[in-house]
Coordinates of all heavy atoms in Angstrom, one line a residue:
G1122 N -54.1 2.7 -50.9 CA -55.1 2.4 -49.9 C -55.9 1.2 -50.1 O -57.1 1.2 -50.0
I1123 N -55.2 0.0 -50.3 CA -55.9 -1.2 -50.7 C -56.2 -2.1 -49.5 O -56.7 -3.2 -49.7 CB -55.1 -2.0 -51.7 CG1 -53.8 -2.5 -51.1 CG2 -54.9 -1.2 -53.0 CD1 -53.0 -3.4 -52.1
Q1124 N -56.0 -1.6 -48.3 CA -56.4 -2.4 -47.1 C -57.9 -2.5 -47.1 O -58.6 -1.6 -47.5 CB -55.8 -1.8 -45.8 CG -56.3 -0.4 -45.5 CD -55.4 0.7 -46.2 OE1 -54.6 0.4 -47.0 NE2 -55.7 1.9 -45.8
D1125 N -58.4 -3.7 -46.6 CA -59.8 -3.9 -46.6 C -60.6 -3.0 -45.6 O -61.8 -2.8 -45.8 CB -60.1 -5.4 -46.2 CG -59.6 -6.4 -47.2 OD1 -59.4 -5.9 -48.4 OD2 -59.3 -7.5 -46.9
D1126 N -59.9 -2.5 -44.6 CA -60.5 -1.6 -43.7 C -59.6 -0.4 -43.5 O -58.4 -0.5 -43.3 CB -60.7 -2.3 -42.3 CG -61.6 -1.5 -41.3 OD1 -61.7 -0.3 -41.5 OD2 -62.2 -2.2 -40.4
S1127 N -60.2 0.8 -43.6 CA -59.4 2.0 -43.4 C -58.9 2.2 -42.0 O -57.9 2.8 -41.8 CB -60.2 3.3 -43.8 OG -61.4 3.3 -42.9
S1128 N -59.6 1.5 -41.0 CA -59.1 1.6 -39.6 C -58.1 0.5 -39.4 O -58.3 -0.5 -38.6 CB -60.3 1.5 -38.7 OG -61.2 2.5 -38.9
N1129 N -57.0 0.5 -40.1 CA -56.0 -0.6 -40.1 C -54.8 0.0 -39.3 O -54.1 0.8 -39.7 CB -55.6 -1.0 -41.5 CG -54.6 -2.1 -41.5 OD1 -54.5 -2.9 -40.5 ND2 -54.0 -2.4 -42.6
V1130 N -54.6 -0.6 -38.1 CA -53.6 -0.1 -37.2 C -52.8 -1.3 -36.7 O -53.3 -2.3 -36.3 CB -54.2 0.7 -36.0 CG1 -53.1 1.2 -35.0 CG2 -55.1 1.8 -36.4
T1131 N -51.5 -1.1 -36.6 CA -50.6 -2.1 -36.0 C -50.0 -1.6 -34.8 O -49.5 -0.4 -34.7 CB -49.5 -2.5 -37.0 OG1 -50.0 -3.1 -38.2 CG2 -48.5 -3.5 -36.4
R1132 N -50.0 -2.4 -33.7 CA -49.4 -2.0 -32.4 C -48.0 -2.6 -32.3 O -47.8 -3.8 -32.5 CB -50.3 -2.5 -31.3 CG -49.7 -2.3 -29.9 CD -50.7 -2.7 -28.8 NE -50.1 -2.7 -27.5 CZ -49.8 -3.8 -26.8 NH1 -50.1 -5.0 -27.3 NH2 -49.3 -3.7 -25.6
F1133 N -47.1 -1.8 -32.0 CA -45.7 -2.2 -31.8 C -45.3 -1.9 -30.4 O -45.8 -1.1 -29.7 CB -44.7 -1.3 -32.7 CG -44.9 -1.5 -34.2 CD1 -46.0 -0.9 -34.9 CD2 -44.1 -2.3 -35.0 CE1 -46.2 -1.0 -36.2 CE2 -44.2 -2.4 -36.3 CZ -45.3 -1.8 -37.0
V1134 N -44.4 -2.8 -29.9 CA -43.8 -2.6 -28.6 C -42.3 -2.2 -28.7 O -41.6 -2.7 -29.6 CB -44.0 -3.8 -27.7 CG1 -45.5 -4.0 -27.4 CG2 -43.4 -5.0 -28.3
M1135 N -41.8 -1.4 -27.8 CA -40.4 -1.1 -27.7 C -39.7 -1.9 -26.7 O -40.3 -2.0 -25.5 CB -40.2 0.4 -27.4 CG -40.7 1.3 -28.6 SD -42.3 2.0 -28.2 CE -41.8 3.5 -27.3
L1136 N -38.6 -2.5 -27.0 CA -37.9 -3.4 -26.1 C -36.6 -2.9 -25.7 O -35.9 -2.3 -26.6 CB -37.8 -4.8 -26.7 CG -39.1 -5.5 -27.2 CD1 -38.7 -6.8 -27.9 CD2 -40.0 -5.7 -26.0
A1137 N -36.1 -3.1 -24.5 CA -34.8 -2.7 -24.0 C -34.3 -3.7 -23.1 O -35.0 -4.7 -22.6 CB -34.9 -1.3 -23.3
R1138 N -33.0 -3.6 -22.8 CA -32.3 -4.5 -21.9 C -32.8 -4.4 -20.4 O -32.8 -5.3 -19.7 CB -30.8 -4.4 -22.0 CG -30.2 -4.9 -23.3 CD -28.7 -4.6 -23.3 NE -28.4 -3.2 -23.3 CZ -28.2 -2.5 -24.5 NH1 -28.4 -3.1 -25.6 NH2 -27.9 -1.2 -24.4
E1139 N -33.1 -3.1 -20.0 CA -33.5 -2.9 -18.7 C -34.9 -2.3 -18.7 O -35.3 -1.5 -19.6 CB -32.5 -1.9 -18.0 CG -31.1 -2.4 -17.9 CD -30.9 -3.6 -17.0 OE1 -31.8 -3.7 -16.1 OE2 -30.0 -4.3 -17.2
P1140 N -35.7 -2.6 -17.6 CA -37.0 -2.0 -17.5 C -36.9 -0.5 -17.2 O -35.9 0.0 -16.7 CB -37.7 -2.8 -16.4 CG -36.6 -3.2 -15.6 CD -35.4 -3.4 -16.5
I1141 N -38.0 0.2 -17.4 CA -38.1 1.6 -17.0 C -38.7 1.7 -15.6 O -39.4 0.7 -15.2 CB -38.8 2.5 -18.0 CG1 -40.3 2.0 -18.1 CG2 -38.1 2.5 -19.3 CD1 -41.1 3.0 -19.0
I1142 N -38.6 2.8 -14.9 CA -39.2 2.9 -13.6 C -40.7 3.3 -13.8 O -41.0 4.3 -14.4 CB -38.5 4.0 -12.8 CG1 -37.0 3.7 -12.6 CG2 -39.2 4.3 -11.5 CD1 -36.2 4.7 -11.9
P1143 N -41.6 2.5 -13.3 CA -43.0 2.8 -13.5 C -43.4 4.0 -12.7 O -42.9 4.4 -11.7 CB -43.7 1.5 -12.9 CG -42.7 0.9 -12.0 CD -41.4 1.3 -12.5
R1144 N -44.4 4.7 -13.3 CA -45.0 5.9 -12.7 C -46.5 5.9 -12.6 O -47.1 5.0 -13.2 CB -44.5 7.1 -13.6 CG -43.1 7.3 -13.7 CD -42.7 8.1 -14.9 NE -43.3 9.4 -15.0 CZ -43.2 10.2 -16.0 NH1 -42.4 9.9 -17.1 NH2 -43.8 11.4 -16.0
T1145 N -47.1 6.8 -11.9 CA -48.5 6.9 -11.8 C -49.1 8.2 -12.2 O -50.3 8.4 -12.2 CB -48.9 6.7 -10.3 OG1 -48.3 7.6 -9.5 CG2 -48.5 5.3 -9.8
D1146 N -48.2 9.1 -12.7 CA -48.7 10.4 -13.1 C -49.2 10.4 -14.6 O -49.8 11.4 -15.0 CB -47.7 11.5 -12.9 CG -46.4 11.2 -13.6 OD1 -46.1 10.0 -13.9 OD2 -45.6 12.1 -14.0
I1147 N -48.9 9.4 -15.3 CA -49.4 9.3 -16.7 C -49.9 7.9 -16.9 O -49.6 6.9 -16.1 CB -48.2 9.5 -17.7 CG1 -47.1 8.5 -17.5 CG2 -47.7 10.9 -17.6 CD1 -46.0 8.6 -18.5
P1148 N -50.8 7.7 -17.9 CA -51.4 6.3 -18.1 C -50.3 5.3 -18.4 O -49.5 5.5 -19.3 CB -52.4 6.5 -19.3 CG -52.7 8.0 -19.3 CD -51.4 8.7 -18.8
F1149 N -50.4 4.2 -17.7 CA -49.4 3.1 -17.9 C -50.2 1.8 -18.3 O -51.3 1.7 -18.0 CB -48.6 2.9 -16.6 CG -47.2 3.4 -16.7 CD1 -46.9 4.7 -16.9 CD2 -46.1 2.5 -16.6 CE1 -45.6 5.2 -16.9 CE2 -44.8 3.0 -16.7 CZ -44.6 4.3 -16.9
K1150 N -49.4 0.9 -18.9 CA -49.9 -0.4 -19.2 C -48.9 -1.4 -18.8 O -47.7 -1.1 -18.8 CB -50.2 -0.5 -20.7 CG -50.7 -1.9 -21.2 CD -50.9 -2.0 -22.7 CE -52.0 -1.0 -23.2 NZ -52.2 -1.2 -24.6
T1151 N -49.4 -2.6 -18.3 CA -48.5 -3.6 -17.9 C -48.8 -4.9 -18.6 O -50.0 -5.2 -18.8 CB -48.6 -3.9 -16.3 OG1 -48.3 -2.6 -15.7 CG2 -47.7 -5.0 -15.9
S1152 N -47.8 -5.6 -19.1 CA -47.9 -6.9 -19.8 C -47.3 -8.0 -19.0 O -46.2 -7.9 -18.5 CB -47.2 -6.8 -21.1 OG -47.8 -5.8 -22.0
I1153 N -48.1 -9.1 -18.8 CA -47.6 -10.2 -18.0 C -47.9 -11.5 -18.9 O -48.6 -11.5 -19.8 CB -48.3 -10.4 -16.7 CG1 -49.8 -10.6 -16.9 CG2 -48.1 -9.1 -15.8 CD1 -50.6 -10.9 -15.6
V1154 N -47.2 -12.6 -18.4 CA -47.5 -13.9 -19.0 C -47.5 -14.9 -17.8 O -46.7 -14.8 -16.9 CB -46.4 -14.3 -20.1 CG1 -45.0 -14.3 -19.5 CG2 -46.7 -15.7 -20.6
F1155 N -48.4 -15.8 -17.8 CA -48.5 -16.8 -16.7 C -49.0 -18.1 -17.3 O -49.5 -18.3 -18.4 CB -49.5 -16.3 -15.6 CG -50.9 -16.1 -16.1 CD1 -51.8 -17.2 -16.0 CD2 -51.4 -14.9 -16.5 CE1 -53.1 -17.0 -16.4 CE2 -52.7 -14.7 -16.9 CZ -53.6 -15.8 -16.8
A1156 N -48.8 -19.2 -16.5 CA -49.3 -20.5 -16.8 C -49.7 -21.2 -15.5 O -49.3 -20.7 -14.4 CB -48.2 -21.3 -17.5
H1157 N -50.4 -22.3 -15.6 CA -50.8 -23.1 -14.4 C -50.9 -24.5 -14.8 O -51.3 -24.9 -15.9 CB -52.1 -22.6 -13.8 CG -52.4 -23.1 -12.4 ND1 -53.0 -24.3 -12.2 CD2 -52.0 -22.6 -11.2 CE1 -53.1 -24.5 -10.9 NE2 -52.5 -23.5 -10.3
E1158 N -50.5 -25.4 -13.8 CA -50.5 -26.8 -14.1 C -51.9 -27.4 -14.3 O -52.1 -28.4 -14.9 CB -49.9 -27.5 -12.9 CG -48.4 -27.2 -12.8 CD -47.8 -27.9 -11.6 OE1 -48.5 -28.5 -10.8 OE2 -46.5 -27.8 -11.4
Q1159 N -53.0 -26.6 -13.8 CA -54.3 -27.1 -14.0 C -55.0 -26.6 -15.3 O -56.2 -26.7 -15.5 CB -55.2 -26.7 -12.8 CG -54.7 -27.3 -11.5 CD -55.5 -26.8 -10.3 OE1 -56.5 -26.1 -10.5 NE2 -55.2 -27.2 -9.1
G1160 N -54.2 -25.9 -16.1 CA -54.7 -25.5 -17.4 C -55.6 -24.3 -17.3 O -55.4 -23.4 -16.5
T1161 N -56.6 -24.2 -18.1 CA -57.5 -23.1 -18.2 C -58.5 -22.9 -17.1 O -59.1 -21.9 -17.0 CB -58.3 -23.1 -19.6 OG1 -59.1 -24.4 -19.6 CG2 -57.4 -23.1 -20.8
S1162 N -58.5 -23.9 -16.2 CA -59.5 -23.8 -15.1 C -59.2 -22.7 -14.2 O -60.1 -22.2 -13.4 CB -59.5 -25.1 -14.3 OG -58.3 -25.4 -13.8
V1163 N -57.9 -22.2 -14.2 CA -57.5 -21.1 -13.2 C -57.8 -19.7 -13.8 O -57.6 -18.7 -13.2 CB -56.1 -21.3 -12.9 CG1 -55.2 -20.8 -14.0 CG2 -55.7 -20.5 -11.6
L1164 N -58.1 -19.7 -15.1 CA -58.2 -18.4 -15.8 C -59.3 -17.5 -15.1 O -59.0 -16.3 -15.0 CB -58.6 -18.6 -17.3 CG -58.6 -17.4 -18.2 CD1 -57.3 -16.6 -18.1 CD2 -59.0 -17.7 -19.6
F1165 N -60.4 -18.0 -14.7 CA -61.4 -17.2 -14.1 C -60.9 -16.6 -12.8 O -61.2 -15.4 -12.6 CB -62.7 -18.1 -13.8 CG -63.7 -17.3 -13.0 CD1 -64.6 -16.4 -13.7 CD2 -63.9 -17.5 -11.7 CE1 -65.5 -15.7 -12.9 CE2 -64.8 -16.8 -10.9 CZ -65.7 -15.9 -11.6
K1166 N -60.2 -17.3 -12.0 CA -59.6 -16.7 -10.8 C -58.7 -15.6 -11.1 O -58.6 -14.6 -10.4 CB -59.0 -17.8 -10.0 CG -59.9 -19.0 -9.5 CD -59.1 -20.0 -8.7 CE -60.0 -21.1 -8.3 NZ -59.3 -22.2 -7.5
V1167 N -57.9 -15.8 -12.1 CA -56.9 -14.7 -12.5 C -57.6 -13.5 -12.9 O -57.3 -12.3 -12.5 CB -55.9 -15.2 -13.6 CG1 -55.1 -14.1 -14.1 CG2 -55.1 -16.3 -13.0
L1168 N -58.6 -13.6 -13.8 CA -59.4 -12.5 -14.3 C -60.1 -11.8 -13.1 O -60.2 -10.5 -13.1 CB -60.3 -12.9 -15.4 CG -59.7 -13.5 -16.6 CD1 -60.7 -13.8 -17.6 CD2 -58.6 -12.6 -17.2
S1169 N -60.6 -12.5 -12.2 CA -61.3 -11.9 -11.1 C -60.4 -11.1 -10.2 O -60.9 -10.1 -9.6 CB -62.0 -13.0 -10.2 OG -61.0 -13.8 -9.6
A1170 N -59.1 -11.4 -10.1 CA -58.2 -10.6 -9.4 C -58.1 -9.2 -9.9 O -57.9 -8.2 -9.2 CB -56.8 -11.3 -9.4
F1171 N -58.2 -9.0 -11.2 CA -58.2 -7.7 -11.8 C -59.6 -7.0 -11.8 O -59.7 -5.8 -11.5 CB -57.7 -7.8 -13.3 CG -56.3 -8.3 -13.4 CD1 -56.1 -9.6 -13.8 CD2 -55.3 -7.4 -13.2 CE1 -54.8 -10.0 -13.9 CE2 -54.0 -7.9 -13.4 CZ -53.7 -9.2 -13.7
A1172 N -60.6 -7.8 -12.0 CA -62.0 -7.3 -12.0 C -62.4 -6.7 -10.6 O -63.0 -5.7 -10.5 CB -63.0 -8.3 -12.4
F1173 N -61.9 -7.4 -9.6 CA -62.3 -7.0 -8.2 C -61.6 -5.7 -7.9 O -62.2 -4.9 -7.1 CB -61.7 -8.1 -7.2 CG -62.0 -7.7 -5.8 CD1 -63.2 -7.8 -5.2 CD2 -60.9 -7.3 -5.0 CE1 -63.4 -7.5 -3.9 CE2 -61.1 -7.0 -3.7 CZ -62.3 -7.1 -3.1
R1174 N -60.5 -5.3 -8.5 CA -59.8 -4.1 -8.2 C -60.1 -3.0 -9.3 O -59.4 -2.0 -9.4 CB -58.3 -4.4 -8.1 CG -58.0 -5.2 -6.9 CD -56.6 -5.7 -6.9 NE -56.3 -6.5 -5.6 CZ -56.6 -7.7 -5.5 NH1 -57.1 -8.4 -6.5 NH2 -56.3 -8.3 -4.3
N1175 N -61.0 -3.3 -10.2 CA -61.4 -2.4 -11.2 C -60.3 -2.0 -12.2 O -60.1 -0.9 -12.5 CB -62.0 -1.1 -10.6 CG -62.8 -0.3 -11.6 OD1 -63.4 -0.8 -12.6 ND2 -62.9 1.0 -11.4
I1176 N -59.5 -3.0 -12.5 CA -58.4 -2.9 -13.5 C -58.8 -3.4 -14.8 O -59.2 -4.6 -14.9 CB -57.1 -3.6 -13.0 CG1 -56.7 -3.0 -11.7 CG2 -56.0 -3.5 -14.0 CD1 -55.4 -3.7 -11.1
S1177 N -58.8 -2.6 -15.8 CA -59.2 -2.9 -17.2 C -58.2 -3.8 -17.9 O -57.0 -3.4 -17.9 CB -59.6 -1.7 -18.0 OG -60.6 -1.0 -17.4
L1178 N -58.6 -4.9 -18.5 CA -57.7 -5.7 -19.4 C -57.9 -5.2 -20.8 O -59.0 -5.1 -21.3 CB -58.0 -7.1 -19.2 CG -57.3 -7.9 -18.1 CD1 -57.6 -7.3 -16.7 CD2 -57.6 -9.4 -18.1
T1179 N -56.8 -5.1 -21.5 CA -56.8 -4.6 -22.9 C -56.5 -5.8 -23.9 O -56.8 -5.7 -25.1 CB -55.8 -3.5 -23.2 OG1 -54.5 -4.0 -22.9 CG2 -56.1 -2.3 -22.3
K1180 N -56.0 -6.9 -23.4 CA -55.7 -8.0 -24.3 C -55.5 -9.3 -23.5 O -54.9 -9.2 -22.4 CB -54.4 -7.7 -25.1 CG -54.1 -8.8 -26.1 CD -52.9 -8.5 -26.9 CE -52.5 -9.6 -27.9 NZ -53.6 -9.9 -28.9
I1181 N -56.0 -10.4 -24.0 CA -55.7 -11.7 -23.5 C -55.3 -12.6 -24.7 O -56.0 -12.7 -25.7 CB -56.9 -12.3 -22.8 CG1 -57.3 -11.5 -21.6 CG2 -56.5 -13.7 -22.3 CD1 -58.6 -12.0 -20.9
E1182 N -54.1 -13.2 -24.7 CA -53.6 -14.0 -25.8 C -53.1 -15.3 -25.2 O -52.4 -15.3 -24.2 CB -52.5 -13.3 -26.5 CG -51.8 -14.1 -27.6 CD -52.7 -14.1 -28.8 OE1 -53.5 -13.2 -29.0 OE2 -52.5 -15.0 -29.7
S1183 N -53.6 -16.4 -25.7 CA -53.2 -17.7 -25.3 C -52.2 -18.3 -26.4 O -52.5 -18.2 -27.5 CB -54.3 -18.7 -25.0 OG -55.1 -18.9 -26.2
R1184 N -51.2 -19.0 -25.9 CA -50.2 -19.6 -26.8 C -49.9 -21.0 -26.2 O -49.8 -21.2 -25.0 CB -48.9 -18.8 -26.9 CG -49.1 -17.5 -27.5 CD -49.4 -17.6 -29.0 NE -48.2 -18.3 -29.7 CZ -48.4 -19.0 -30.8 NH1 -49.6 -19.2 -31.3 NH2 -47.3 -19.5 -31.4
P1185 N -49.8 -22.0 -27.0 CA -49.5 -23.4 -26.5 C -48.2 -23.4 -25.8 O -47.2 -22.7 -26.1 CB -49.4 -24.2 -27.8 CG -50.2 -23.5 -28.8 CD -50.0 -22.0 -28.5
H1186 N -48.1 -24.1 -24.7 CA -46.9 -24.2 -23.8 C -45.9 -25.1 -24.6 O -46.2 -26.3 -24.8 CB -47.3 -24.8 -22.5 CG -46.2 -24.6 -21.4 ND1 -44.9 -24.8 -21.6 CD2 -46.4 -24.1 -20.2 CE1 -44.2 -24.5 -20.5 NE2 -45.1 -24.0 -19.6
R1187 N -44.8 -24.6 -25.0 CA -43.9 -25.4 -25.8 C -43.3 -26.6 -25.1 O -43.1 -27.6 -25.6 CB -42.7 -24.5 -26.3 CG -43.2 -23.5 -27.4 CD -42.0 -22.6 -27.9 NE -42.3 -21.9 -29.0 CZ -42.1 -22.2 -30.3 NH1 -41.6 -23.4 -30.5 NH2 -42.4 -21.5 -31.3
N1188 N -43.0 -26.4 -23.8 CA -42.3 -27.5 -23.1 C -43.3 -28.5 -22.6 O -42.9 -29.6 -22.3 CB -41.5 -26.9 -21.9 CG -40.4 -26.0 -22.3 OD1 -39.8 -26.2 -23.4 ND2 -40.1 -24.9 -21.5
R1189 N -44.6 -28.1 -22.5 CA -45.6 -29.0 -22.0 C -46.8 -28.9 -22.9 O -47.9 -28.3 -22.4 CB -45.9 -28.8 -20.5 CG -44.7 -28.9 -19.6 CD -45.1 -28.5 -18.2 NE -46.2 -29.4 -17.7 CZ -46.7 -29.3 -16.5 NH1 -46.3 -28.4 -15.7 NH2 -47.7 -30.2 -16.1
P1190 N -46.8 -29.4 -24.1 CA -47.9 -29.1 -25.0 C -49.2 -29.9 -24.7 O -50.3 -29.4 -25.0 CB -47.4 -29.6 -26.4 CG -46.3 -30.6 -26.0 CD -45.7 -30.1 -24.7
I1191 N -49.1 -31.1 -24.0 CA -50.3 -31.9 -23.8 C -50.3 -32.3 -22.3 O -49.3 -32.6 -21.7 CB -50.2 -33.2 -24.6 CG1 -50.2 -32.9 -26.1 CG2 -51.4 -34.1 -24.3 CD1 -51.5 -32.3 -26.6
R1192 N -51.5 -32.2 -21.8 CA -51.8 -32.6 -20.4 C -52.8 -33.7 -20.4 O -53.8 -33.6 -21.0 CB -52.4 -31.4 -19.6 CG -52.7 -31.7 -18.1 CD -53.0 -30.5 -17.3 NE -54.1 -29.7 -18.0 CZ -55.4 -29.8 -17.6 NH1 -55.7 -30.6 -16.7 NH2 -56.3 -29.0 -18.2
V1193 N -52.4 -34.8 -19.7 CA -53.2 -36.0 -19.7 C -54.0 -36.1 -18.4 O -53.5 -35.9 -17.3 CB -52.4 -37.3 -19.8 CG1 -53.3 -38.5 -19.8 CG2 -51.6 -37.3 -21.1
V1194 N -55.3 -36.3 -18.5 CA -56.2 -36.3 -17.4 C -57.0 -37.6 -17.4 O -57.4 -38.1 -18.4 CB -57.2 -35.1 -17.4 CG1 -58.1 -35.2 -16.2 CG2 -56.5 -33.8 -17.5

Side-chain angles (χ1 to χ4, degrees):
I1123 64 172
Q1124 60 273 8
D1125 295 339
D1126 190 336
S1127 59
S1128 301
N1129 186 16
V1130 182
T1131 297
R1132 175 174 170 252
F1133 296 78
V1134 294
M1135 294 103 83
L1136 304 175
R1138 289 179 292 272
E1139 299 294 336
I1141 62 173
I1142 299 176
R1144 299 158 55 183
T1145 56
D1146 57 334
I1147 59 175
F1149 255 62
K1150 181 183 291 185
T1151 300
S1152 297
I1153 65 172
V1154 56
F1155 63 87
H1157 194 271
E1158 295 177 355
Q1159 297 179 3
T1161 57
S1162 60
V1163 76
L1164 185 59
F1165 174 79
K1166 296 179 180 179
V1167 170
L1168 298 182
S1169 65
F1171 295 101
F1173 177 75
R1174 294 169 178 85
N1175 198 27
I1176 298 177
S1177 299
L1178 272 62
T1179 60
K1180 182 177 178 61
I1181 302 177
E1182 178 76 22
S1183 62
R1184 295 290 296 150
H1186 200 311
R1187 286 180 173 269
N1188 297 328
R1189 301 178 59 183
I1191 298 294
R1192 178 169 56 95
V1193 179
V1194 179

